[in-house]
Amino acid sequence: MGGGYSKGRIVLVLGEPGTGKTIFCSQFLHGGAVTKGEKGIFIGMNEPKAKFLGEMKALGMDLAALEKEGKFSYVDASDVKHIPDQAKVGRIPVGGRELGLVNLLDTIQEAVDKVKPDRIAVDSISDLIFRYPALEERRPVILDLVETLEATGATCLMTSELLSTGQDRTLQPEEYLAEGVVLLKMLRKGIRTIQVLKMRGSKMDAKPRPYVIRDNGIEVLSGEEVYE
Amino acid sequence: MGGGYSKGRIVLVLGEPGTGKTIFCSQFLHGGAVTKGEKGIFIGMNEPKAKFLGEMKALGMDLAALEKEGKFSYVDASDVKHIPDQAKVGRIPVGGRELGLVNLLDTIQEAVDKVKPDRIAVDSISDLIFRYPALEERRPVILDLVETLEATGATCLMTSELLSTGQDRTLQPEEYLAEGVVLLKMLRKGIRTIQVLKMRGSKMDAKPRPYVIRDNGIEVLSGEEVYE
Amino acid sequence: MGGGYSKGRIVLVLGEPGTGKTIFCSQFLHGGAVTKGEKGIFIGMNEPKAKFLGEMKALGMDLAALEKEGKFSYVDASDVKHIPDQAKVGRIPVGGRELGLVNLLDTIQEAVDKVKPDRIAVDSISDLIFRYPALEERRPVILDLVETLEATGATCLMTSELLSTGQDRTLQPEEYLAEGVVLLKMLRKGIRTIQVLKMRGSKMDAKPRPYVIRDNGIEVLSGEEVYE
Amino acid sequence: MGGGYSKGRIVLVLGEPGTGKTIFCSQFLHGGAVTKGEKGIFIGMNEPKAKFLGEMKALGMDLAALEKEGKFSYVDASDVKHIPDQAKVGRIPVGGRELGLVNLLDTIQEAVDKVKPDRIAVDSISDLIFRYPALEERRPVILDLVETLEATGATCLMTSELLSTGQDRTLQPEEYLAEGVVLLKMLRKGIRTIQVLKMRGSKMDAKPRPYVIRDNGIEVLSGEEVYE
Amino acid sequence: MGGGYSKGRIVLVLGEPGTGKTIFCSQFLHGGAVTKGEKGIFIGMNEPKAKFLGEMKALGMDLAALEKEGKFSYVDASDVKHIPDQAKVGRIPVGGRELGLVNLLDTIQEAVDKVKPDRIAVDSISDLIFRYPALEERRPVILDLVETLEATGATCLMTSELLSTGQDRTLQPEEYLAEGVVLLKMLRKGIRTIQVLKMRGSKMDAKPRPYVIRDNGIEVLSGEEVYE
Amino acid sequence: MGGGYSKGRIVLVLGEPGTGKTIFCSQFLHGGAVTKGEKGIFIGMNEPKAKFLGEMKALGMDLAALEKEGKFSYVDASDVKHIPDQAKVGRIPVGGRELGLVNLLDTIQEAVDKVKPDRIAVDSISDLIFRYPALEERRPVILDLVETLEATGATCLMTSELLSTGQDRTLQPEEYLAEGVVLLKMLRKGIRTIQVLKMRGSKMDAKPRPYVIRDNGIEVLSGEEVYE
């Protein structure tokens, strides 16, 4: 799972709680660095850097070592979650929400200018987009983010939270705005499945496949089929 | 799938993410040009021209060559997605939404006047209509678009995003306002199906049929049946 | 299907996209004219007269010929869809919605006074009622329309759009306010079914029956049963 | 079905379109008059008296004859549907909704004072209660109606419209506020069923039973069971 | 079912229409009085005292006799349903809703001070809580009621109305705020079931069990299982 | 179930009414104290201390004894439920909701400073978060709570109420913001199941397992499987 992405694509990883979205991002960056020598940035909103590195190391990915080699950077974007809804830029009151978006885009741009990455992972966009409850507001925010990522030329993953369990569900706008969509679900029986819903410009296997999280990360059981 | 449309009809292609709505449009235009010598316009909101042409070429459709022969034009309408919600025309503040609609209709009209196309594809109308969350607003917007397309005399496809997965769903207003509706879905097992829900003035096969996206585009397996 | 309606009844034809609501109306008027010599009016909101006549002729119904015999009239009510939400009557600003309703009722009355029809078809009421998103507003609008139709003494069909697919659905107010209800659905397998849900003052077969749209219009396969 | 009601009970008949709610009311009044000599009032909102009497006669119930014997009265309450949302009582603007309720209660009271009925049928309360979209408003309106009916000492039926088809549904407040509830549904296969959901103070058969509308009204096939 | 409650517990009886919530309360009070000599209060919102006593007597519970022995009291709280939404306390306008709550709590307290009951039944809390459509308002109202009941030291039942039929449902806040929850449902086939969802501090059988309402009240068929 | 938590993790226990969320918390604290000598704090919103201690003792957990040994503390946070929506801090009016959050965080911090616990249980966060009906408000409130708990360095459980029964459900924001999620459900047949949906940094068994509440607390039947 570390290779095989089309260069310059923006892929959404949409998953339920506990399906390993963060591990998925790490394998994408770690795999790219180890197998292709590609530089990666992790834009993290959920955990402090030390905790993140520790957890990934426990899964066999030594990102700290890659960081020393200049192959990996961790960018802390947890501010996005905490910016108040009302702020001031000079004397002008500015909605915290817009500031949240602008901040994140600036943070990404800065890191990109400095590192010139081949791969970027944003984990997760939910903290940003949940600020915009109305669909007509949420859609352009996602679009701005997607286009900023696209302009970097890097291959990008962004994770997002699934709004409901079950097979029949409301489609989320980020599924339409990303160029690829990977869906991570937890079936009733406790089996996790991965399904590539969309991958523009690639032929793909769209069957849901079971996977397990092992000592060395996510392993897809690609020969097996699983339906509910 | 490149032929067989009734002249002057407005057909909606309604599909889930990853079901090939854009490929569907290209095959419609490419097929018309190659088999009937018909001129086509692609009104694109989602991708830069170069990316679009590259992806379609990878699927065996050399639209750039057709463009040189005067059989194909690409019209960039991605502005529609970015017009702010408040704008000014002279000194008069104008809702960005109305401007978005007017802009798109003008863009279509201009291209039509210049090219006199036999076929038009609009991919997709979702960026326009998601700005109108209330049904009583969305309906007349779609109507304006449909009537503008109708007035061109060309055979037209327009794509739109499905709001939810599953067999039982809320019907979307564009399904009633278009003269034909083609539904593209992804079944749970990762199988894609195409179903002609409506085609005014044509006898039609309304059974859902499986299809695959191959090296040379979408291929419908019309002898096979698939139910869930 | 051209005969057999109780004189003076208001019947609602409620159907999914592509189920032939317009054909249903035409057969009602054509059948009445041909088999009983009854005069009919078609109040059309969806298509220009020429397109409508052409499509129906292709299905074997020569309404233009009936028009010359004084047995058929086409009334263009497409204005209803385009009246702006705010208008002025003299110096008094009037909500476009009320004007839409008043206009339609006037249009119907005028045509009735002139033609004295035995049968009326209104295709469709959706463009009118979607302007009233709140149920407490929509209900009296439908009621006004039903009572205007009732006062003409003619047998009337009005078509409306179904809000969702599937067997379990929210009931729509027009189903309660009309005296008869015919439901046209598209099953998952692409089979269309017709079901007479309600027909005040008639014994009826309430089983859903499959039907096909053939060269000569809708044909109900009344000996067959179809369940999902 | 004409007998067997507990004296002084308020029973709700809740049904889908076309399930014969009006016939149900007529049989209740006709049966009471014929078999027990009880006087009945029909409070009608949906149809002119003549149409109603004609339809019921076609089903074998000669209510006009009973009217001459002083055993039946028809009270026209169709005004309730048409009272505008804003009205004036003297110089005081009064919400049309409150007026609608007050009018109906007055109409009932007047008729009761004059006729001293043993049975009352109100067909239907939906035109009244749909004016109150919020549950917290709708509930007290239904309560006022129920208590007015209760105070008459007569046995009462009131009909109401079911909001959705299907087995799993949102319960409606009138189901809790009435003392008995009879549910009339149309199964997918076109079979109608009657089910006594609630009957305070009576032992009851709560199984859904199929019924048919025959030449002489509703006939319950009480020996048969029907499930979906 | 008359015994076996943990002293001082607040148990919610949540049920569909016609499932016998009122009978359930009566058996709780009657059983306590007859088998343990405990004093009970019935706080009634739905029916006049005479009607209630009559119905319960028909089911073999002579509450009037218990009343003479000082073992039973009926408290009429039907006012709660009728207090207008705006009232005045002295010169201060007070929302009717708050007054409704305060009134009920006062009524309960007064009765408790006078009777010193061992058991209290409140039938039902729905008339109170439906006034608060927003969950964030409804929750503290239920909490105030629960704590008032808790402070009496008596064992308490309160009934509430289920919002929807079907197995999968939205949980209601009173289910979380009560210490025990008994669910009364009507299956599709007309079979009633009782299920103890929650009973803090007790081991319990959580299986749904069928029950019947017989001449002598509710009888649980505890050896039988019923699933749908 | 008393051991086996990763140090410093924040785990959400999400459960239906009657599934033993409070017992779960007690076993977590009691088990830690007895088997590892760890100090625990219980932040309780639902019950007075005495009642809580009594119930847990009945299940074989003598928390009062542990309290004397300095291994257990009970912190009463029931105030959170009662703070009015409008309050004043000095002369400044402060929204009660913000005060509720600030109060709870202060209460936790104070107790932590005093006791220096290894384990903390918050039972439940629902009383806090139900005050924030909008998702965009609720999310940051949960985040503030999670980060306060995280900063203590203790291993933490927090309980929350499930919003609906059934397998297909809307995911709740606390499921994404906690590092581990344990789901407690009641199947239709009255069987309770526990499922570890998420546990960051641990390999886990994600199968739902049946459990029973016995004389000595919750016992998971981990060899058994249960599906619906």
Side-chain angles (χ1 to χ4, degrees), chain D residues 37-213:
Chain D
E38 292 186 0
K39 281 188 289 186
I41 297 179
F42 183 88
I43 317 277
M45 274 110 158
N46 290 320
E47 290 185 305
K49 181 178 175 181
K51 208 168 192 177
F52 169 73
L53 292 180
E55 284 174 6
M56 295 309 130
K57 189 154 191 187
L59 291 163
M61 291 178 276
D62 192 346
L63 297 170
L66 289 175
E67 197 177 19
K68 280 176 201 149
E69 302 172 33
K71 291 272 182 282
F72 174 80
S73 319
Y74 180 96
V75 177
D76 188 331
S78 60
D79 282 7
V80 168
K81 299 191 294 193
H82 291 292
I83 290 163
D85 276 351
Q86 280 294 340
K88 279 196 178 183
V89 173
R91 299 173 60 187
I92 303 151
V94 173
R97 302 200 301 185
E98 281 64 42
L99 211 61
L101 176 61
V102 169
N103 262 16
L104 178 63
L105 301 185
D106 282 359
T107 299
I108 292 172
Q109 198 54 53
E110 250 175 63
V112 165
D113 290 346
K114 200 167 132 198
V115 178
K116 314 250 182 266
D118 302 291
R119 298 185 172 205
I120 301 173
V122 182
D123 180 40
S124 74
I125 67 170
S126 299
D127 289 299
L128 180 70
I129 67 181
F130 272 114
R131 295 180 165 212
Y132 304 85
L135 184 56
E136 69 272 18
E137 288 182 313
R138 184 173 287 184
R139 219 178 141 89
V141 165
I142 299 167
L143 194 69
D144 281 352
L145 178 62
V146 166
E147 296 192 346
T148 297
L149 290 174
E150 223 159 28
T152 66
T155 307
C156 301
L157 283 195
M158 55 190 193
T159 66
S160 187
E161 301 173 1
L162 204 61
L163 296 179
S164 60
T165 70
Q167 294 293 349
D168 294 352
R169 61 190 182 82
T170 299
L171 289 156
Q172 300 178 208
E174 58 268 40
E175 297 180 70
Y176 283 109
L177 298 175
E179 294 168 297
V181 178
V182 174
L183 183 68
L184 303 179
K185 293 185 65 66
M186 171 82 88
L187 301 191
R188 300 180 188 196
K189 299 176 186 177
I191 297 167
R192 292 187 187 81
T193 63
I194 183 170
Q195 185 176 18
V196 181
L197 285 185
K198 172 178 175 179
M199 200 57 73
R200 270 203 139 164
S202 303
K203 277 166 290 178
M204 70 193 212
D205 166 21
K207 283 208 181 94
R209 301 289 183 187
Y211 68 94
V212 288
I213 302 179

Side-chain angles (χ1 to χ4, degrees), chain D residues 201-204, chain E residues 23 27 30 53-62 192 211-219:
Chain D
S202 303
K203 277 166 290 178
M204 70 193 212
Chain E
I23 301 173
Q27 284 187 295
H30 183 264
L53 291 180
E55 284 174 5
M56 294 309 129
K57 189 155 191 187
L59 291 163
M61 292 179 275
D62 192 346
R192 292 187 187 81
Y211 69 93
V212 288
I213 302 178
R214 293 205 202 279
D215 280 348
N216 52 351
I218 291 173
E219 184 181 333

Side-chain angles (χ1 to χ4, degrees), chain B residues 169-213:
Chain B
R169 58 189 184 82
T170 298
L171 288 157
Q172 300 178 210
E174 59 268 41
E175 297 181 71
Y176 283 108
L177 297 174
E179 294 167 297
V181 178
V182 175
L183 184 68
L184 304 178
K185 293 185 64 68
M186 171 81 89
L187 301 191
R188 300 180 187 196
K189 299 176 184 177
I191 296 169
R192 291 185 188 84
T193 62
I194 183 170
Q195 185 176 18
V196 181
L197 285 186
K198 172 179 176 180
M199 200 56 74
R200 267 202 142 165
S202 302
K203 277 165 289 177
M204 70 194 216
D205 166 21
K207 283 206 181 96
R209 301 289 184 186
Y211 68 94
V212 288
I213 302 178

Side-chain angles (χ1 to χ4, degrees), chain A residues 49-125:
Chain A
K49 182 178 175 180
K51 208 169 191 176
F52 168 74
L53 291 179
E55 284 175 6
M56 294 309 129
K57 190 155 190 186
L59 291 163
M61 291 178 276
D62 192 346
L63 297 170
L66 288 176
E67 195 176 21
K68 280 176 202 148
E69 300 174 34
K71 292 271 182 282
F72 175 80
S73 319
Y74 180 97
V75 177
D76 188 330
S78 59
D79 283 6
V80 168
K81 299 192 292 194
H82 291 292
I83 290 163
D85 274 350
Q86 279 294 339
K88 280 198 179 183
V89 173
R91 300 172 58 189
I92 304 153
V94 173
R97 301 198 303 183
E98 282 62 42
L99 211 61
L101 176 62
V102 168
N103 262 17
L104 177 62
L105 300 186
D106 281 358
T107 299
I108 292 173
Q109 197 55 54
E110 251 175 62
V112 165
D113 290 345
K114 201 167 134 198
V115 178
K116 313 249 182 270
D118 303 291
R119 299 184 173 206
I120 301 172
V122 182
D123 181 39
S124 73
I125 67 169

Side-chain angles (χ1 to χ4, degrees), chain F residues 107-192:
Chain F
T107 300
I108 293 172
Q109 198 54 53
E110 250 175 62
V112 166
D113 290 345
K114 201 167 134 199
V115 177
K116 312 251 181 269
D118 302 292
R119 299 186 172 203
I120 302 172
V122 181
D123 180 39
S124 74
I125 67 169
S126 299
D127 289 298
L128 180 70
I129 68 181
F130 271 114
R131 295 181 164 211
Y132 303 86
L135 183 55
E136 68 272 19
E137 287 182 313
R138 185 174 286 184
R139 217 177 142 90
V141 164
I142 299 166
L143 194 69
D144 280 352
L145 177 62
V146 166
E147 297 190 348
T148 298
L149 291 174
E150 221 158 31
T152 67
T155 307
C156 301
L157 283 194
M158 54 189 196
T159 66
S160 187
E161 300 172 2
L162 204 61
L163 296 180
S164 60
T165 69
Q167 293 293 350
D168 293 352
R169 59 189 184 81
T170 298
L171 289 156
Q172 299 178 211
E174 57 267 41
E175 296 180 70
Y176 283 108
L177 298 173
E179 294 168 297
V181 178
V182 174
L183 183 68
L184 304 179
K185 293 184 66 66
M186 171 81 89
L187 300 191
R188 301 180 187 194
K189 300 176 185 177
I191 297 168
R192 291 186 188 81

